[in-house]
Amino acid sequence: MFNNNKILVVIPIINNSFGISGKHVRLLNNKPLISYSIELAKASQYVDDVVVSTVDSEIALISEKYGASVIRRSVKESDEIESIESIVYEAMIQKEKLAFDEYDIVVILQPNSPLVKSSTLDGAIEKFEDFGIDTVLSVIEDTHLSWGYDENHQRFFPNYIERSNKQDLPKSFKETEAIIASRRGFIREDACIGDNINLVELSREESINIENNEGWIIAESYLQKKKIAIIVNANKEIGTRHIDNCLAIASKLVSHDFAFFLDENYDLSVKMVKESGYPYVIYDGSGELFAKLDEFNPQIVVNDILDTSSEYMSRLKENGYFTVNFDDLGVGVEYADVVFDSLYEHDLSESNVFSGHEYYVLRDEFYFQPLKVITQEVKNVLIIFEGNDYNHLSERFLNAILSTGFENRIDIIVGSGFEDVEGFVSKYESNPLVQIYQNVPNISEFMFKADIIITSATKTMYESCSLGVPTICVCQDELEKTHVFANTANGFVNMGLSEELSEQEIAAQFLDLANNPEIRISMNQKMLSIDLKHGFESIKAVVERKYRDYEMKKPHEVL
């Protein structure tokens, strides 16, 4: 009841409607379509009674199970057209006879609009606080330059006087028919709308109307949409591979609502996400993080923040979040629902951990690059080491290659944490064949142009492999020795731990590869036989399965 007005919701099921056969009982995201309108009405703080009017016994049974009363109409002749007005009027009269009372406001909910929110329905009802309002209709903003068609002259004509940008046009709205609410006196067998009309605006999502298969697909996509918080850090010390991973994943979350959560003390991650244009939330310290997570209210929390603690992860779980962690070897792993470690090819034994190259997500730029074709001569070498290159491998490999008398181009890309870039550049500026870059936005271009790539056993090896560029790998520390993807079977030359290598060994290995196109062709073929372009799909499949299990374990309401 609203302001002493008794309110009836009528959900009319038209017998001769066109479109999807049996759609009202079909499962939309695992629930019958008709159930959404019933649950919407029952969730309102103002609605007194909900009735479904139908000729179908299956619709009637389902409607009653979801808590609506049912008016069973007689089946009309196939060529007899039923009107919404007559169906609603009959349902109202029958309900009033049963209740020995009259309603004050009748709301018609179309069962084709499953995404309308209860707050919107309540907002429509609240419009009747103005006693001058007879009817409230749902609309969606539809401001644009439009055209009409003259049937007599068979020509198009503009519905505007002067062309303008959309933001300069007066707002216009289109009826959606999702909600029609009228005072009882305007509900008749042939009409249901009064003279004085107000509007309630729906969001784009709420306006989805299922009239055909396309509408069904769109509605189901909205219903399956998840709210995802992505927590990730990047700075000059840890490099950008974690933020790169999350940005690559974010580019594929177009059907979900997500936001990055960024520690204000990690300025590089803030800068990169700002430049990406994705939504983000800044926090300072774990206390503020959890407060802002609570405000955002995600279903899924993604962590790509190196090793997690048990305290941090248990707090996430206590708050009811489904957690997905990347590259996490911390003690918090046991609390995560899913952990992906793409750098590890070995079995980590825990049932929630999935490891290996199958779970690496390439950056978008690597999907549209052509595959490398091996040539006889090596004309371009790329040296690239992530992070701050604390072992000075860029310079060590550069000197080793120069010592061989190699006279073609050498490109070097250093990470954001590389110290004294200016000093490094000045040392080799007299050599026109050596070019040194930092913070390159289009790494795939450099990789594709290279005939040989020299890098560390990090995620860069997956990128070179995806293009089929022969690669010499070196491990910067003991941890990287466990990243076993860079092996001979996968098309790599792995020289092992960097500190154990001499300049002569590096030079000899480079010459062996540069002077043997047959070896490079073999490496190229091995690399290109590995599927590295479906990592997101592999992650998605695991997360969906684990999330279903997670949902099944949660307590559910009994109808």
Side-chain angles (χ1 to χ4, degrees):
M1 187 170 287
F2 175 72
N3 287 356
N4 293 319
N5 290 292
K6 193 173 183 183
I7 297 172
L8 171 69
V9 165
V10 180
I11 303 171
I13 309 296
I14 299 178
N15 188 36
N16 51 16
S17 63
F18 299 97
I20 303 172
S21 176
K23 68 180 178 182
H24 297 107
V25 297
R26 273 182 63 173
L27 298 183
L28 177 69
N29 197 35
N30 298 320
K31 284 166 47 178
L33 175 59
I34 185 64
S35 72
Y36 289 92
S37 298
I38 297 171
E39 290 181 336
L40 166 63
K42 292 181 73 65
S44 167
Q45 59 182 318
Y46 303 128
V47 171
D48 296 287
D49 293 306
V50 184
V51 60
V52 173
S53 177
T54 182
V55 300
D56 187 279
S57 58
E58 187 177 4
I59 291 175
L61 177 63
I62 291 171
S63 298
E64 288 173 342
K65 282 185 177 293
Y66 278 88
S69 58
V70 174
I71 300 294
R72 292 290 299 275
R73 308 192 309 273
S74 57
V75 179
K76 305 290 185 181
E77 296 296 327
S78 60
D79 59 349
E80 188 175 353
I81 298 176
E82 293 183 290
S83 70
I84 287 204
E85 292 84 356
S86 63
I87 292 171
V88 172
Y89 179 77
E90 178 189 350
M92 180 189 72
I93 295 299
Q94 289 201 41
K95 284 292 292 181
E96 288 180 337
K97 285 179 180 178
L98 292 171
F100 298 100
D101 196 6
E102 285 192 351
Y103 293 96
D104 300 291
I105 296 171
V106 176
V107 180
I108 305 168
L109 290 183
Q110 293 287 4
N112 299 339
S113 302
L115 301 175
V116 178
K117 295 179 173 61
S118 60
S119 58
T120 303
L121 174 57
D122 286 344
I125 294 170
E126 288 165 359
K127 300 282 186 181
F128 289 100
E129 189 163 13
D130 181 346
F131 291 103
I133 298 299
D134 302 328
T135 299
V136 176
L137 303 176
S138 60
V139 296
I140 184 170
E141 186 184 345
D142 194 36
T143 305
H144 61 279
L145 294 172
S146 65
W147 289 69
Y149 185 73
D150 185 337
E151 292 284 354
N152 294 327
H153 297 89
Q154 296 188 347
R155 65 181 180 83
F156 295 99
F157 60 88
N159 292 325
Y160 54 86
I161 297 173
E162 183 179 349
R163 292 192 68 85
S164 303
N165 293 324
K166 181 178 177 180
Q167 61 266 28
D168 298 325
L169 293 171
K171 279 191 174 184
S172 61
F173 297 88
K174 179 175 68 176
E175 292 183 22
T176 71
E177 300 183 347
I179 300 172
I180 302 173
S182 289
R183 296 191 188 276
R184 194 235 183 264
F186 297 97
I187 304 296
R188 301 186 295 274
E189 285 188 279
D190 59 351
C192 61
I193 296 176
D195 297 324
N196 297 319
I197 298 171
N198 203 341
L199 305 177
V200 61
E201 187 177 351
L202 304 188
S203 66
R204 185 66 57 182
E205 176 180 334
E206 292 177 294
S207 72
I208 299 301
N209 184 23
I210 299 180
E211 294 180 329
N212 48 39
N213 287 330
E214 182 182 9
W216 188 281
I217 291 167
I218 294 170
E220 194 151 58
S221 176
Y222 271 113
L223 288 166
Q224 292 173 351
K225 180 173 67 174
K226 297 291 184 290
K227 208 166 188 180
I228 303 170
I230 303 173
I231 304 173
V232 61
N233 296 327
N235 58 24
K236 291 182 178 180
E237 285 69 42
I238 63 177
T240 64
R241 66 184 177 94
H242 300 283
I243 195 76
D244 286 337
N245 176 58
C246 289
L247 288 171
I249 290 171
S251 72
K252 296 169 176 59
L253 296 178
V254 291
S255 59
H256 298 284
D257 181 11
F258 68 89
F260 282 86
F261 281 70
L262 307 170
D263 189 328
E264 66 177 17
N265 298 303
Y266 288 79
D267 55 339
L268 183 56
S269 54
V270 175
K271 177 177 180 291
M272 291 179 68
V273 173
K274 276 185 178 180
E275 290 174 350
S276 76
Y278 291 127
Y280 64 90
V281 176
I282 303 293
Y283 68 89
D284 182 17
S286 62
E288 189 172 357
L289 169 62
F290 279 93
K292 292 194 173 183
L293 282 174
D294 185 58
E295 183 180 341
F296 185 65
N297 193 28
Q299 294 148 304
I300 298 174
V301 172
V302 174
N303 294 295
D304 200 341
I305 52 176
L306 294 173
D307 300 344
T308 59
S309 67
S310 56
E311 292 79 13
Y312 169 75
M313 289 303 300
S314 60
R315 188 171 176 185
L316 288 176
K317 297 307 296 176
E318 286 167 6
N319 288 1
Y321 304 131
F322 181 88
T323 53
V324 180
N325 293 10
F326 285 89
D327 297 341
D328 185 358
L329 296 177
V331 294
V333 164
E334 63 177 293
Y335 295 91
D337 292 287
V338 191
V339 179
F340 295 102
D341 282 313
S342 60
L343 286 171
Y344 298 92
E345 296 286 322
H346 46 80
D347 180 17
L348 297 180
S349 73
E350 292 90 348
S351 62
N352 64 331
V353 177
F354 296 82
S355 65
H357 67 271
E358 296 91 343
Y359 305 106
Y360 178 70
V361 182
L362 282 170
R363 285 179 281 184
D364 288 358
E365 61 179 296
F366 286 90
Y367 283 85
F368 54 79
Q369 283 290 0
L371 302 179
K372 185 68 179 179
V373 176
I374 304 302
T375 58
Q376 290 290 314
E377 184 183 1
V378 173
K379 296 181 178 180
N380 193 309
V381 174
L382 174 63
I383 300 173
I384 176 170
F385 289 96
E386 289 185 356
N388 56 20
D389 189 10
Y390 51 85
N391 288 325
H392 306 289
L393 295 179
S394 298
E395 188 167 5
R396 286 182 61 194
F397 271 84
L398 173 59
N399 290 334
I401 294 171
L402 291 175
S403 73
T404 67
F406 182 72
E407 295 182 347
N408 289 324
R409 186 181 177 93
I410 304 173
D411 288 326
I412 302 171
I413 298 176
V414 298
S416 56
F418 191 93
E419 294 184 358
D420 194 19
V421 177
E422 292 181 2
F424 189 26
V425 170
S426 65
K427 189 181 294 186
Y428 296 93
E429 63 184 355
S430 61
N431 188 334
L433 300 176
V434 176
Q435 296 294 320
I436 299 170
Y437 306 87
Q438 187 177 37
N439 299 328
V440 172
N442 55 335
I443 286 177
S444 63
E445 285 290 327
F446 283 85
M447 286 192 168
F448 174 71
K449 292 175 181 177
D451 296 301
I452 294 176
I453 292 175
I454 297 169
T455 189
S456 57
T458 58
K459 292 186 176 182
T460 310
M461 63 186 175
Y462 293 136
E463 294 170 342
S464 65
C465 182
S466 73
L467 300 177
V469 183
T471 301
I472 296 173
C473 232
V474 62
C475 302
Q476 298 184 82
D477 50 38
E478 289 291 339
L479 179 61
E480 285 190 11
K481 287 179 69 176
T482 66
H483 303 168
V484 296
F485 179 77
N487 60 56
T488 305
N490 290 337
F492 289 84
V493 172
N494 193 327
M495 296 189 71
L497 200 60
S498 62
E499 64 183 31
E500 297 174 355
L501 297 174
S502 66
E503 183 177 302
Q504 292 75 20
E505 288 174 309
I506 295 171
Q509 180 61 76
F510 172 76
L511 283 175
D512 184 53
L513 191 57
N515 294 333
N516 286 281
E518 294 81 9
I519 295 176
R520 287 186 277 114
I521 290 171
S522 174
M523 293 172 71
N524 168 266
Q525 292 172 345
K526 290 176 181 178
M527 286 177 158
L528 295 181
S529 69
I530 300 169
D531 180 9
L532 285 168
K533 292 190 176 178
H534 294 89
F536 179 78
E537 288 78 7
S538 298
I539 289 171
K540 182 172 179 281
V542 171
V543 171
E544 286 179 346
R545 175 166 55 84
K546 290 286 189 177
Y547 192 83
R548 280 195 301 270
D549 295 343
Y550 166 81
E551 286 285 284
M552 289 293 291
K553 293 174 183 176
K554 291 167 65 175
H556 289 79
E557 244 182 69
V558 179
L559 291 176

PDB file of all heavy atoms in Angstrom, residues 144-166:
ATOM      1  N   HIS A 144      18.091  11.341 -30.241  1.00  0.00           N
ATOM      2  CA  HIS A 144      18.929  11.183 -31.420  1.00  0.00           C
ATOM      3  C   HIS A 144      18.288  11.911 -32.591  1.00  0.00           C
ATOM      4  O   HIS A 144      17.128  12.333 -32.528  1.00  0.00           O
ATOM      5  CB  HIS A 144      19.116   9.701 -31.767  1.00  0.00           C
ATOM      6  CG  HIS A 144      17.831   8.993 -32.084  1.00  0.00           C
ATOM      7  ND1 HIS A 144      16.993   8.530 -31.114  1.00  0.00           N
ATOM      8  CD2 HIS A 144      17.239   8.705 -33.272  1.00  0.00           C
ATOM      9  CE1 HIS A 144      15.934   7.958 -31.672  1.00  0.00           C
ATOM     10  NE2 HIS A 144      16.052   8.066 -32.983  1.00  0.00           N
ATOM     11  N   LEU A 145      19.033  12.058 -33.665  1.00  0.00           N
ATOM     12  CA  LEU A 145      18.483  12.604 -34.905  1.00  0.00           C
ATOM     13  C   LEU A 145      17.669  11.503 -35.580  1.00  0.00           C
ATOM     14  O   LEU A 145      18.195  10.437 -35.894  1.00  0.00           O
ATOM     15  CB  LEU A 145      19.605  13.077 -35.833  1.00  0.00           C
ATOM     16  CG  LEU A 145      20.435  14.270 -35.338  1.00  0.00           C
ATOM     17  CD1 LEU A 145      21.633  14.496 -36.255  1.00  0.00           C
ATOM     18  CD2 LEU A 145      19.585  15.537 -35.267  1.00  0.00           C
ATOM     19  N   SER A 146      16.378  11.750 -35.770  1.00  0.00           N
ATOM     20  CA  SER A 146      15.518  10.700 -36.324  1.00  0.00           C
ATOM     21  C   SER A 146      14.895  11.150 -37.638  1.00  0.00           C
ATOM     22  O   SER A 146      14.832  12.340 -37.962  1.00  0.00           O
ATOM     23  CB  SER A 146      14.425  10.337 -35.316  1.00  0.00           C
ATOM     24  OG  SER A 146      13.554  11.429 -35.098  1.00  0.00           O
ATOM     25  N   TRP A 147      14.405  10.175 -38.374  1.00  0.00           N
ATOM     26  CA  TRP A 147      13.785  10.412 -39.677  1.00  0.00           C
ATOM     27  C   TRP A 147      12.428   9.725 -39.735  1.00  0.00           C
ATOM     28  O   TRP A 147      12.213   8.694 -39.107  1.00  0.00           O
ATOM     29  CB  TRP A 147      14.678   9.878 -40.801  1.00  0.00           C
ATOM     30  CG  TRP A 147      15.923  10.693 -41.019  1.00  0.00           C
ATOM     31  CD1 TRP A 147      16.993  10.793 -40.189  1.00  0.00           C
ATOM     32  CD2 TRP A 147      16.192  11.540 -42.133  1.00  0.00           C
ATOM     33  NE1 TRP A 147      17.939  11.653 -40.695  1.00  0.00           N
ATOM     34  CE2 TRP A 147      17.479  12.123 -41.904  1.00  0.00           C
ATOM     35  CE3 TRP A 147      15.506  11.872 -43.289  1.00  0.00           C
ATOM     36  CZ2 TRP A 147      18.059  13.012 -42.805  1.00  0.00           C
ATOM     37  CZ3 TRP A 147      16.088  12.753 -44.193  1.00  0.00           C
ATOM     38  CH2 TRP A 147      17.343  13.314 -43.950  1.00  0.00           C
ATOM     39  N   GLY A 148      11.536  10.309 -40.509  1.00  0.00           N
ATOM     40  CA  GLY A 148      10.237   9.703 -40.767  1.00  0.00           C
ATOM     41  C   GLY A 148      10.128   9.295 -42.224  1.00  0.00           C
ATOM     42  O   GLY A 148      11.053   9.508 -43.023  1.00  0.00           O
ATOM     43  N   TYR A 149       8.985   8.705 -42.572  1.00  0.00           N
ATOM     44  CA  TYR A 149       8.782   8.268 -43.957  1.00  0.00           C
ATOM     45  C   TYR A 149       7.397   8.664 -44.419  1.00  0.00           C
ATOM     46  O   TYR A 149       6.397   8.390 -43.759  1.00  0.00           O
ATOM     47  CB  TYR A 149       8.969   6.756 -44.083  1.00  0.00           C
ATOM     48  CG  TYR A 149       8.903   6.260 -45.510  1.00  0.00           C
ATOM     49  CD1 TYR A 149       9.960   6.508 -46.382  1.00  0.00           C
ATOM     50  CD2 TYR A 149       7.776   5.576 -45.981  1.00  0.00           C
ATOM     51  CE1 TYR A 149       9.908   6.068 -47.704  1.00  0.00           C
ATOM     52  CE2 TYR A 149       7.718   5.134 -47.303  1.00  0.00           C
ATOM     53  CZ  TYR A 149       8.784   5.387 -48.161  1.00  0.00           C
ATOM     54  OH  TYR A 149       8.734   4.962 -49.470  1.00  0.00           O
ATOM     55  N   ASP A 150       7.336   9.352 -45.548  1.00  0.00           N
ATOM     56  CA  ASP A 150       6.076   9.794 -46.152  1.00  0.00           C
ATOM     57  C   ASP A 150       5.614   8.728 -47.139  1.00  0.00           C
ATOM     58  O   ASP A 150       6.215   8.552 -48.211  1.00  0.00           O
ATOM     59  CB  ASP A 150       6.316  11.133 -46.861  1.00  0.00           C
ATOM     60  CG  ASP A 150       5.025  11.732 -47.411  1.00  0.00           C
ATOM     61  OD1 ASP A 150       4.069  10.986 -47.641  1.00  0.00           O
ATOM     62  OD2 ASP A 150       4.988  12.963 -47.598  1.00  0.00           O
ATOM     63  N   GLU A 151       4.553   7.997 -46.767  1.00  0.00           N
ATOM     64  CA  GLU A 151       4.057   6.911 -47.614  1.00  0.00           C
ATOM     65  C   GLU A 151       3.518   7.450 -48.946  1.00  0.00           C
ATOM     66  O   GLU A 151       3.687   6.808 -49.986  1.00  0.00           O
ATOM     67  CB  GLU A 151       2.943   6.141 -46.885  1.00  0.00           C
ATOM     68  CG  GLU A 151       3.411   5.359 -45.672  1.00  0.00           C
ATOM     69  CD  GLU A 151       4.136   4.091 -46.047  1.00  0.00           C
ATOM     70  OE1 GLU A 151       4.185   3.757 -47.243  1.00  0.00           O
ATOM     71  OE2 GLU A 151       4.661   3.422 -45.142  1.00  0.00           O
ATOM     72  N   ASN A 152       2.865   8.610 -48.900  1.00  0.00           N
ATOM     73  CA  ASN A 152       2.262   9.151 -50.125  1.00  0.00           C
ATOM     74  C   ASN A 152       3.318   9.526 -51.155  1.00  0.00           C
ATOM     75  O   ASN A 152       3.187   9.223 -52.350  1.00  0.00           O
ATOM     76  CB  ASN A 152       1.396  10.374 -49.796  1.00  0.00           C
ATOM     77  CG  ASN A 152       0.194  10.001 -48.953  1.00  0.00           C
ATOM     78  OD1 ASN A 152      -0.361   8.910 -49.092  1.00  0.00           O
ATOM     79  ND2 ASN A 152      -0.223  10.902 -48.073  1.00  0.00           N
ATOM     80  N   HIS A 153       4.365  10.202 -50.702  1.00  0.00           N
ATOM     81  CA  HIS A 153       5.413  10.634 -51.638  1.00  0.00           C
ATOM     82  C   HIS A 153       6.595   9.666 -51.688  1.00  0.00           C
ATOM     83  O   HIS A 153       7.546   9.868 -52.443  1.00  0.00           O
ATOM     84  CB  HIS A 153       5.920  12.030 -51.251  1.00  0.00           C
ATOM     85  CG  HIS A 153       4.868  13.093 -51.344  1.00  0.00           C
ATOM     86  ND1 HIS A 153       4.038  13.413 -50.289  1.00  0.00           N
ATOM     87  CD2 HIS A 153       4.503  13.891 -52.390  1.00  0.00           C
ATOM     88  CE1 HIS A 153       3.207  14.385 -50.660  1.00  0.00           C
ATOM     89  NE2 HIS A 153       3.463  14.686 -51.941  1.00  0.00           N
ATOM     90  N   GLN A 154       6.519   8.625 -50.837  1.00  0.00           N
ATOM     91  CA  GLN A 154       7.554   7.576 -50.794  1.00  0.00           C
ATOM     92  C   GLN A 154       8.963   8.170 -50.658  1.00  0.00           C
ATOM     93  O   GLN A 154       9.862   7.924 -51.463  1.00  0.00           O
ATOM     94  CB  GLN A 154       7.479   6.678 -52.032  1.00  0.00           C
ATOM     95  CG  GLN A 154       6.188   5.888 -52.118  1.00  0.00           C
ATOM     96  CD  GLN A 154       6.200   4.871 -53.245  1.00  0.00           C
ATOM     97  OE1 GLN A 154       7.057   4.891 -54.126  1.00  0.00           O
ATOM     98  NE2 GLN A 154       5.254   3.955 -53.215  1.00  0.00           N
ATOM     99  N   ARG A 155       9.102   8.940 -49.608  1.00  0.00           N
ATOM    100  CA  ARG A 155      10.411   9.538 -49.354  1.00  0.00           C
ATOM    101  C   ARG A 155      10.617   9.718 -47.847  1.00  0.00           C
ATOM    102  O   ARG A 155       9.654   9.790 -47.078  1.00  0.00           O
ATOM    103  CB  ARG A 155      10.549  10.886 -50.057  1.00  0.00           C
ATOM    104  CG  ARG A 155       9.607  11.956 -49.550  1.00  0.00           C
ATOM    105  CD  ARG A 155       9.786  13.268 -50.303  1.00  0.00           C
ATOM    106  NE  ARG A 155       8.890  14.315 -49.816  1.00  0.00           N
ATOM    107  CZ  ARG A 155       9.138  15.073 -48.748  1.00  0.00           C
ATOM    108  NH1 ARG A 155      10.261  14.891 -48.058  1.00  0.00           N
ATOM    109  NH2 ARG A 155       8.278  15.999 -48.370  1.00  0.00           N
ATOM    110  N   PHE A 156      11.878   9.779 -47.467  1.00  0.00           N
ATOM    111  CA  PHE A 156      12.242  10.016 -46.067  1.00  0.00           C
ATOM    112  C   PHE A 156      12.287  11.522 -45.803  1.00  0.00           C
ATOM    113  O   PHE A 156      12.559  12.320 -46.710  1.00  0.00           O
ATOM    114  CB  PHE A 156      13.614   9.406 -45.751  1.00  0.00           C
ATOM    115  CG  PHE A 156      13.640   7.903 -45.846  1.00  0.00           C
ATOM    116  CD1 PHE A 156      14.141   7.282 -46.995  1.00  0.00           C
ATOM    117  CD2 PHE A 156      13.181   7.118 -44.805  1.00  0.00           C
ATOM    118  CE1 PHE A 156      14.172   5.900 -47.085  1.00  0.00           C
ATOM    119  CE2 PHE A 156      13.214   5.745 -44.887  1.00  0.00           C
ATOM    120  CZ  PHE A 156      13.700   5.137 -46.030  1.00  0.00           C
ATOM    121  N   PHE A 157      12.035  11.894 -44.561  1.00  0.00           N
ATOM    122  CA  PHE A 157      12.148  13.303 -44.180  1.00  0.00           C
ATOM    123  C   PHE A 157      12.681  13.384 -42.756  1.00  0.00           C
ATOM    124  O   PHE A 157      12.424  12.500 -41.924  1.00  0.00           O
ATOM    125  CB  PHE A 157      10.793  14.016 -44.283  1.00  0.00           C
ATOM    126  CG  PHE A 157       9.724  13.431 -43.400  1.00  0.00           C
ATOM    127  CD1 PHE A 157       9.553  13.865 -42.089  1.00  0.00           C
ATOM    128  CD2 PHE A 157       8.881  12.434 -43.890  1.00  0.00           C
ATOM    129  CE1 PHE A 157       8.575  13.321 -41.284  1.00  0.00           C
ATOM    130  CE2 PHE A 157       7.902  11.878 -43.075  1.00  0.00           C
ATOM    131  CZ  PHE A 157       7.747  12.322 -41.771  1.00  0.00           C
ATOM    132  N   PRO A 158      13.464  14.437 -42.440  1.00  0.00           N
ATOM    133  CA  PRO A 158      14.044  14.552 -41.093  1.00  0.00           C
ATOM    134  C   PRO A 158      12.997  15.025 -40.090  1.00  0.00           C
ATOM    135  O   PRO A 158      12.148  15.864 -40.393  1.00  0.00           O
ATOM    136  CB  PRO A 158      15.143  15.598 -41.281  1.00  0.00           C
ATOM    137  CG  PRO A 158      14.665  16.434 -42.437  1.00  0.00           C
ATOM    138  CD  PRO A 158      13.919  15.504 -43.339  1.00  0.00           C
ATOM    139  N   ASN A 159      13.094  14.488 -38.866  1.00  0.00           N
ATOM    140  CA  ASN A 159      12.225  14.920 -37.772  1.00  0.00           C
ATOM    141  C   ASN A 159      12.889  16.026 -36.963  1.00  0.00           C
ATOM    142  O   ASN A 159      12.728  16.102 -35.751  1.00  0.00           O
ATOM    143  CB  ASN A 159      11.885  13.738 -36.853  1.00  0.00           C
ATOM    144  CG  ASN A 159      10.990  12.726 -37.545  1.00  0.00           C
ATOM    145  OD1 ASN A 159      10.137  13.074 -38.347  1.00  0.00           O
ATOM    146  ND2 ASN A 159      11.207  11.455 -37.232  1.00  0.00           N
ATOM    147  N   TYR A 160      13.661  16.846 -37.622  1.00  0.00           N
ATOM    148  CA  TYR A 160      14.345  17.939 -36.950  1.00  0.00           C
ATOM    149  C   TYR A 160      14.489  19.092 -37.935  1.00  0.00           C
ATOM    150  O   TYR A 160      14.395  18.907 -39.164  1.00  0.00           O
ATOM    151  CB  TYR A 160      15.717  17.501 -36.445  1.00  0.00           C
ATOM    152  CG  TYR A 160      16.612  16.889 -37.501  1.00  0.00           C
ATOM    153  CD1 TYR A 160      17.416  17.705 -38.304  1.00  0.00           C
ATOM    154  CD2 TYR A 160      16.640  15.514 -37.716  1.00  0.00           C
ATOM    155  CE1 TYR A 160      18.217  17.161 -39.281  1.00  0.00           C
ATOM    156  CE2 TYR A 160      17.435  14.964 -38.703  1.00  0.00           C
ATOM    157  CZ  TYR A 160      18.231  15.789 -39.480  1.00  0.00           C
ATOM    158  OH  TYR A 160      19.016  15.242 -40.466  1.00  0.00           O
ATOM    159  N   ILE A 161      14.691  20.274 -37.396  1.00  0.00           N
ATOM    160  CA  ILE A 161      14.838  21.461 -38.231  1.00  0.00           C
ATOM    161  C   ILE A 161      16.297  21.679 -38.595  1.00  0.00           C
ATOM    162  O   ILE A 161      16.637  21.973 -39.742  1.00  0.00           O
ATOM    163  CB  ILE A 161      14.277  22.701 -37.492  1.00  0.00           C
ATOM    164  CG1 ILE A 161      12.774  22.507 -37.245  1.00  0.00           C
ATOM    165  CG2 ILE A 161      14.539  23.965 -38.303  1.00  0.00           C
ATOM    166  CD1 ILE A 161      12.159  23.593 -36.384  1.00  0.00           C
ATOM    167  N   GLU A 162      17.173  21.521 -37.598  1.00  0.00           N
ATOM    168  CA  GLU A 162      18.593  21.774 -37.811  1.00  0.00           C
ATOM    169  C   GLU A 162      19.414  20.645 -37.204  1.00  0.00           C
ATOM    170  O   GLU A 162      19.128  20.180 -36.090  1.00  0.00           O
ATOM    171  CB  GLU A 162      18.975  23.095 -37.147  1.00  0.00           C
ATOM    172  CG  GLU A 162      20.424  23.504 -37.361  1.00  0.00           C
ATOM    173  CD  GLU A 162      20.746  24.836 -36.692  1.00  0.00           C
ATOM    174  OE1 GLU A 162      19.799  25.519 -36.254  1.00  0.00           O
ATOM    175  OE2 GLU A 162      21.945  25.163 -36.597  1.00  0.00           O
ATOM    176  N   ARG A 163      20.409  20.165 -37.929  1.00  0.00           N
ATOM    177  CA  ARG A 163      21.266  19.096 -37.410  1.00  0.00           C
ATOM    178  C   ARG A 163      22.075  19.615 -36.222  1.00  0.00           C
ATOM    179  O   ARG A 163      22.622  20.723 -36.258  1.00  0.00           O
ATOM    180  CB  ARG A 163      22.235  18.575 -38.477  1.00  0.00           C
ATOM    181  CG  ARG A 163      21.563  17.837 -39.614  1.00  0.00           C
ATOM    182  CD  ARG A 163      22.587  17.110 -40.464  1.00  0.00           C
ATOM    183  NE  ARG A 163      23.207  16.016 -39.742  1.00  0.00           N
ATOM    184  CZ  ARG A 163      22.706  14.788 -39.654  1.00  0.00           C
ATOM    185  NH1 ARG A 163      21.554  14.490 -40.248  1.00  0.00           N
ATOM    186  NH2 ARG A 163      23.340  13.850 -38.997  1.00  0.00           N
ATOM    187  N   SER A 164      22.152  18.795 -35.160  1.00  0.00           N
ATOM    188  CA  SER A 164      22.903  19.167 -33.963  1.00  0.00           C
ATOM    189  C   SER A 164      23.579  17.932 -33.401  1.00  0.00           C
ATOM    190  O   SER A 164      23.201  16.795 -33.713  1.00  0.00           O
ATOM    191  CB  SER A 164      21.977  19.760 -32.896  1.00  0.00           C
ATOM    192  OG  SER A 164      21.277  20.883 -33.385  1.00  0.00           O
ATOM    193  N   ASN A 165      24.592  18.162 -32.565  1.00  0.00           N
ATOM    194  CA  ASN A 165      25.173  17.053 -31.819  1.00  0.00           C
ATOM    195  C   ASN A 165      24.144  16.539 -30.827  1.00  0.00           C
ATOM    196  O   ASN A 165      23.273  17.279 -30.358  1.00  0.00           O
ATOM    197  CB  ASN A 165      26.431  17.509 -31.081  1.00  0.00           C
ATOM    198  CG  ASN A 165      27.551  17.857 -32.035  1.00  0.00           C
ATOM    199  OD1 ASN A 165      27.713  17.227 -33.073  1.00  0.00           O
ATOM    200  ND2 ASN A 165      28.321  18.882 -31.686  1.00  0.00           N
ATOM    201  N   LYS A 166      24.264  15.257 -30.469  1.00  0.00           N
ATOM    202  CA  LYS A 166      23.276  14.646 -29.586  1.00  0.00           C
ATOM    203  C   LYS A 166      23.132  15.410 -28.282  1.00  0.00           C
ATOM    204  O   LYS A 166      22.026  15.605 -27.781  1.00  0.00           O
ATOM    205  CB  LYS A 166      23.670  13.183 -29.298  1.00  0.00           C
ATOM    206  CG  LYS A 166      22.688  12.465 -28.399  1.00  0.00           C
ATOM    207  CD  LYS A 166      23.084  11.017 -28.176  1.00  0.00           C
ATOM    208  CE  LYS A 166      22.120  10.347 -27.204  1.00  0.00           C
ATOM    209  NZ  LYS A 166      22.462   8.927 -26.962  1.00  0.00           N
TER     210      LYS A 166
END
